[in-house]
Amino acid sequence: MFAYYLELAWRSLRRNKSLTALMIFAVALGIGACMTTLTVVHVLSGDPLPGRGDRVYRVLLDAEPMDSYRKDGNPLDQVTWVDGMNLLRDGKADRQALMTGGNVAVTPPDASLDPFYIGARYSTSDIFSLFGIHFIYGGAWTAKDDASRARVAVITRRLNDKVFGGANSVGRNLRVSDADLRVIGVIDDWDPQPHFHDLDMNTYGDSERLYLPLGTSRDLGLGHSGSTNCYGNGRSSEKELETQSCTWLQYWVELDTAAKRDAYHEYLVNYSRAQHDHGRFERPPNVRLFDVMSWLDYKRVVPGDVKIQAWLAIGFLIVCLVNTVGLMLAKFLRRSGEVGVRRALGATRGEILTQLLTEAGMIGLAGGIGGLVLAILGLWLVRMQPHEYAKLAHLDFTMFLATFALAIASTVVAGLLPALRACRVAPALQLKTQ
Amino acid sequence: MLTMNHLAKVYRTEVVETYALRDFNIDVKEGEFVAVTGPSGSGKTTFLTIAGLLETFTGGEYHLDGMEVSKLDDNARSRIRNEKIGFIFQAFNLIPDLNVFDNVEVPLRYRGMKAAERKQRIMDALERVGLASRAKHYPAELSGGQQQRVAIARALAGSPRLLLADEPTGNLDTQMARGVMELLEEIHREGATIVMVTHDPELAARAQRNVHVIDGQVVDLTEEPRFHSQTSHA
C-alpha cells in the first residue's frame, strides 16, 4: 500500500508544479540554514575521545591563597609541578599523565631539509594509553624513562613522513632544539577536535607532532606554551617553574568505574586537606573531576555565537515550516473532493492520513536534497571565515543522514495539521457539492 | 438487504432542530431495483448517504445485509462501504488525475487485493460498460456518458452487494441518460440490488418499485394527499 501512496504523492506533486516547488524551496531553505549551523555545532561539540571520554578525567585542585577566595569559586584549570608530581607519585588512578605543550625546533637528518618549528607535547608516559593513541611503529617510553629524563621521543606519522620519508624510524635520532632524541615510537596522527587535553594551546586545528618526556623537556630547557598562573610569591620564570606557586600543567587520569571515580575524588579531597595541614594550601578542599565532555562544557568550548546562530537557524526553519503548513493546507483542502470520493469508496481516515503524510514526506525528501545542497554551500562559506574552527566545517555522514531525517520528520510534522483537517472532511457533504 | 425502521436524522444548531428524515421506514429486498423519488429537499439524498454509511443517523435502526450498523465505528463503516456498497453519483466523482483504469482501481486498492486480481476485475468491469478500450484515457477526455459508465464500472469492480445511485443521469443529455439507464437495468437483471434516487418520474418508472419521500418520510402515494404535500417543498 505504501507504494500506492508514493505513486499518488508523486502524481499530486507533479499536478501543481509551482506550489510544489514553493513548498520544497521553503523546506530546503530552512533545512539548509539549520544544517549549516547544526553541522558547525556538531563538529565543535563532538566527542574528541570517542569510547574513552567518559572515563578520562581532568583534575583540578584549588591551591590559590585565601586573599581572592570565594566560597563558590572554581579552582584554576591547571596544577603546579609539585602537586602534579605528588599525584603522580601516589598513582591512585588506573592511568595518569601530567603534561604541557610547547614549540620546538626540529632539524631533519637530511641536510637538504630546512629546520622547522612544530608543536610538541611534554608528558609523562601514560599519555598514550590514557588517550588511546595508536602506534604504527615502536611504543611509548616508560615511567623509568620519565624518572631518568631519557632523551627519547615519539613522533606522529606526519612528522615521520616529513623527516624520515615514512620509513620505520624507531632507533633513529631526531635533533630537537640542541639535543638528539632517539625515536622510540611513531603514532598514527592524533588530532582530537577540539584539543580537549590543552585548550590553552589552540582549541581547534593541528595537534602536536612530537611527544617527549616532561622531565626531558625540563632538562633541555624547552619552553612551554599556554597559560601560566602564578599566585602568592610565585614567579613565572621558565627555569623556576618547578618550585614556584604557579599552575602550568594539565593533569589527566583514567578511572574505569564510577566507584573508582568517587574514590579518586575522595583521595583528592584528602590530598587537599593534607596540603592544607602542611600549610601549602590555604583554602578548604575544592577539587574537580571533569570527564572529557563535561570539561568541554565547563570551558564553554563551543563559541556562544555559534550556538546563537544555530538557534536562529532553527527558528528560521520553523518559520519556513509554518509557511509550508499554509501551503499544504491549501493543497490538501483543495483535494477535499478526492478525499470524499476515496472515503466513499472505502478508504479509512487513517489511510487518507497516511496518503497525505506520505506526500508531505516526499516534499520533505525533496526539501532535504535542496537543503543538503544549500548546507554544503553554507559550510563552504563558513570555511571562508577567519575563525580557528572554520576549516572543520564539513558535513560528515551523520549530519548527511540527519539532514534527510530532519527534513522528512519536520515536513511530516508540518503536514500533520493539514492532513488531519483534510481527512476529517465529511464525504457526504463533499460528494453533494461536487 | 436494506432495512430502516423509524430512522431519524436531525441537524441541530443552538436555536433550531431540522429533521432531514423522520420516522423513515424502508425495506429493500435482495435483487430489487428501487427508485426513491421526491421533490428537492425531501430527504432523498440524505437517505442515500445514510444508506451508504457516509453519514450517521440520529435515531431508529438500520440493518444492512443483516447487520445493525449504528454501533459501527468509522473504520468498520469504511470497510463495509468498500466491500458491500457501490456508489454512482450524479457528478460522476471521478478523480481527474487518474486515468480510467486507475479510477476503477481505487476501491480495490483499499481492499488489499493483489495486482493481478485487480487488473482482471478492472478489465472485466470496463468490458461490461463498453470502455475497455479507453482504460488509459483521463476523465477529461471522455464524454459525460462515458464518465458515468466509468463510475459504474468503478462501482461494479468490487462486486458490491448493493448499488446506490444518486441521480445517475442528472448530468447527462437524453441519449446518454438512456444508455446509462439501460446499463443499470442490465446490471439489475444480472442480480444486483439497486437503490436509485431520482426526481425524474420517467426514470423512476423503469425501476421495479418506487418509494416516494416527502418531508423526510416515506409516503404511500395511493393514500389521500397529505397536508404538507400541497405546500411548496420542491
Side-chain angles (χ1 to χ4, degrees):
Chain A
M1 202 63 186
F2 186 63
Y4 182 53
Y5 295 144
L6 284 176
E7 186 188 326
L8 292 176
W10 178 243
R11 281 172 194 266
S12 168
L13 295 179
R14 283 179 54 191
R15 185 189 315 147
N16 194 331
K17 292 188 178 71
S18 52
L19 187 62
T20 301
L22 208 57
M23 286 190 286
I24 291 173
F25 182 68
V27 173
L29 217 54
I31 291 293
C34 210
M35 291 315 295
T36 301
T37 54
L38 287 181
T39 299
V40 173
V41 171
H42 170 71
V43 295
L44 297 191
S45 59
D47 183 354
L49 207 59
R52 303 183 66 84
D54 58 344
R55 55 180 199 267
V56 171
Y57 295 87
R58 176 68 172 257
V59 174
L60 307 187
L61 297 169
D62 197 350
E64 285 188 281
M66 281 304 284
D67 52 10
S68 57
Y69 177 67
R70 268 187 21 239
K71 200 176 177 187
D72 56 349
N74 291 319
L76 294 172
D77 291 343
Q78 301 184 102
V79 297
T80 62
W81 175 273
V82 173
D83 289 321
M85 286 299 157
N86 286 343
L87 298 182
L88 270 181
R89 195 177 310 111
D90 288 348
K92 296 286 187 186
D94 293 313
R95 294 183 180 89
Q96 45 258 306
L98 180 65
M99 63 186 76
T100 187
N103 287 303
V104 294
V106 172
T107 308
D110 182 350
S112 65
L113 293 174
D114 290 333
F116 53 89
Y117 274 95
I118 53 168
R121 181 128 297 260
Y122 321 139
S123 173
T124 53
S125 59
D126 273 357
I127 182 172
F128 304 101
S129 53
L130 178 66
F131 293 154
I133 301 172
H134 174 64
F135 278 83
I136 51 176
Y137 299 123
W141 63 84
T142 62
K144 209 170 154 186
D145 292 330
D146 276 329
S148 65
R149 301 193 167 189
R151 302 294 168 98
V152 294
V154 168
I155 61 175
T156 61
R157 179 197 291 270
R158 206 162 139 201
L159 182 60
N160 189 53
D161 288 347
K162 184 169 181 177
V163 176
F164 298 110
N168 184 350
S169 57
V170 172
R172 307 269 306 263
N173 280 347
L174 184 67
R175 188 133 190 97
V176 176
S177 294
D178 295 324
D180 281 329
L181 300 182
R182 184 167 50 87
V183 175
I184 59 166
V186 180
I187 59 167
D188 217 347
D189 288 326
W190 188 66
D191 198 19
Q193 301 294 345
H195 295 160
F196 68 95
H197 53 289
D198 189 355
L199 295 169
D200 287 333
M201 293 284 280
N202 52 348
T203 309
Y204 301 96
D206 290 339
S207 279
E208 299 91 352
R209 288 188 243 164
L210 177 73
Y211 295 78
L212 62 151
L214 179 63
T216 309
S217 77
R218 301 306 299 161
D219 264 7
L220 297 178
L222 302 177
H224 88 283
S225 304
S227 72
T228 303
N229 199 321
C230 296
Y231 47 86
N233 297 321
R235 285 177 298 171
S236 60
S237 156
E238 187 69 44
K239 285 183 181 169
E240 297 173 294
L241 278 176
E242 291 169 39
T243 55
Q244 294 297 311
S245 302
C246 297
T247 59
W248 57 286
L249 294 154
Q250 302 96 45
Y251 197 78
W252 288 91
V253 295
E254 180 176 337
L255 302 163
D256 291 339
T257 63
K260 285 182 180 176
R261 185 209 171 279
D262 293 343
Y264 197 80
H265 188 272
E266 188 62 28
Y267 155 72
L268 290 175
V269 170
N270 290 335
Y271 172 81
S272 298
R273 200 167 282 136
Q275 293 301 313
H276 186 269
D277 293 346
H278 285 113
R280 273 196 68 237
F281 285 9
E282 296 179 12
R283 300 180 178 186
N286 182 15
V287 303
R288 297 279 196 282
L289 269 178
F290 290 106
D291 65 28
V292 172
M293 293 310 288
S294 308
W295 173 243
L296 297 179
D297 282 346
Y298 175 73
K299 293 299 293 176
R300 300 180 194 278
V301 166
V302 179
D305 60 336
V306 169
K307 285 184 179 171
I308 290 169
Q309 282 165 16
W311 282 113
L312 286 175
I314 289 170
F316 181 62
L317 173 64
I318 291 169
V319 170
C320 291
L321 288 175
V322 168
N323 278 306
T324 310
V325 169
L327 295 171
M328 273 199 274
L329 200 58
K331 187 174 175 63
F332 289 170
L333 290 182
R334 204 152 64 182
R335 285 163 61 196
S336 299
E338 180 191 331
V339 171
V341 173
R342 288 187 179 278
R343 292 277 287 131
L345 298 178
T348 61
R349 279 203 182 106
E351 284 165 333
I352 297 292
L353 186 70
T354 312
Q355 180 192 326
L356 297 178
L357 289 182
T358 304
E359 193 171 326
M362 201 175 264
I363 293 167
L365 179 68
I369 293 169
L372 183 70
V373 173
L374 291 176
I376 289 169
L377 186 69
L379 290 170
W380 177 76
L381 289 173
V382 170
R383 288 196 295 277
M384 298 293 111
Q385 302 299 309
H387 296 301
E388 191 184 29
Y389 59 78
K391 67 172 184 170
L392 298 173
H394 287 278
L395 198 77
D396 61 14
F397 187 64
T398 307
M399 295 311 279
F400 173 81
L401 290 182
T403 303
F404 289 100
L406 181 65
I408 293 171
S410 58
T411 316
V412 167
V413 170
L416 208 54
L417 173 73
L420 280 171
R421 286 278 298 274
C423 76
R424 278 192 184 143
V425 299
L429 188 66
Q430 285 303 319
L431 298 171
K432 280 180 202 170
T433 54
Q434 284 286 298
Chain B
M1 165 59 66
L2 183 160
T3 309
M4 291 178 176
N5 293 320
H6 311 295
L7 199 99
K9 176 67 181 176
V10 186
Y11 293 103
R12 289 192 175 91
T13 66
E14 283 180 9
V15 289
V16 69
E17 283 189 347
T18 308
Y19 277 80
L21 297 178
R22 183 203 304 260
D23 196 23
F24 192 93
N25 297 294
I26 191 170
D27 185 21
V28 178
K29 299 275 186 289
E30 185 156 4
E32 262 195 308
F33 185 173
V34 176
V36 178
T37 61
S40 293
S42 58
K44 304 186 300 291
T45 300
T46 301
F47 152 70
L48 202 78
T49 53
I50 290 173
L53 305 183
L54 293 171
E55 230 173 317
T56 55
F57 48 94
T58 319
E61 289 179 357
Y62 171 24
H63 289 86
L64 177 66
D65 201 21
M67 185 189 300
E68 164 59 49
V69 299
S70 62
K71 299 283 190 292
L72 297 178
D73 65 14
D74 191 70
N75 282 355
R77 293 160 75 85
S78 295
R79 291 286 161 247
I80 291 175
R81 278 201 299 275
N82 182 254
E83 289 167 11
K84 297 194 174 185
I85 302 171
F87 287 97
I88 302 165
F89 304 101
Q90 180 178 355
F92 324 135
N93 285 330
L94 298 178
I95 298 171
D97 299 330
L98 304 183
N99 63 26
V100 165
F101 185 96
D102 293 337
N103 260 292
V104 178
E105 190 184 34
V106 171
L108 307 182
R109 282 282 191 173
Y110 294 114
R111 207 179 282 193
M113 205 175 267
K114 292 237 161 54
E117 190 185 352
R118 283 202 309 268
K119 187 176 179 188
Q120 184 64 50
R121 279 180 176 246
I122 295 163
M123 293 318 292
D124 286 351
L126 287 175
E127 291 279 1
R128 198 165 173 190
V129 299
L131 286 173
S133 61
R134 302 293 178 102
K136 295 295 170 196
H137 287 235
Y138 283 84
E141 298 166 349
L142 304 176
S143 70
Q146 286 172 324
Q147 287 189 48
Q148 193 58 298
R149 282 169 180 273
V150 174
I152 293 171
R154 181 176 66 184
L156 293 176
S159 309
R161 304 264 296 140
L162 174 66
L163 214 53
L164 299 175
D166 186 8
E167 305 277 10
T169 60
N171 281 12
L172 303 177
D173 63 31
T174 315
Q175 196 182 349
M176 287 180 179
R178 193 179 303 127
V180 166
M181 206 51 215
E182 282 167 4
L183 183 57
L184 288 177
E185 285 172 331
E186 188 187 319
I187 292 164
H188 170 242
R189 278 196 297 277
E190 288 167 8
T193 307
I194 302 176
V195 176
M196 176 179 70
V197 161
T198 182
H199 63 269
D200 183 343
E202 214 174 298
L203 285 184
R206 296 173 72 161
Q208 261 181 325
R209 180 158 70 93
N210 275 207
V211 171
H212 200 67
V213 181
I214 293 177
D215 279 354
Q217 280 184 303
V218 175
V219 296
D220 186 347
L221 290 179
T222 58
E223 290 179 0
E224 285 295 307
R226 289 159 30 135
F227 163 71
H228 50 250
S229 66
Q230 294 171 353
T231 59
S232 59
H233 284 287

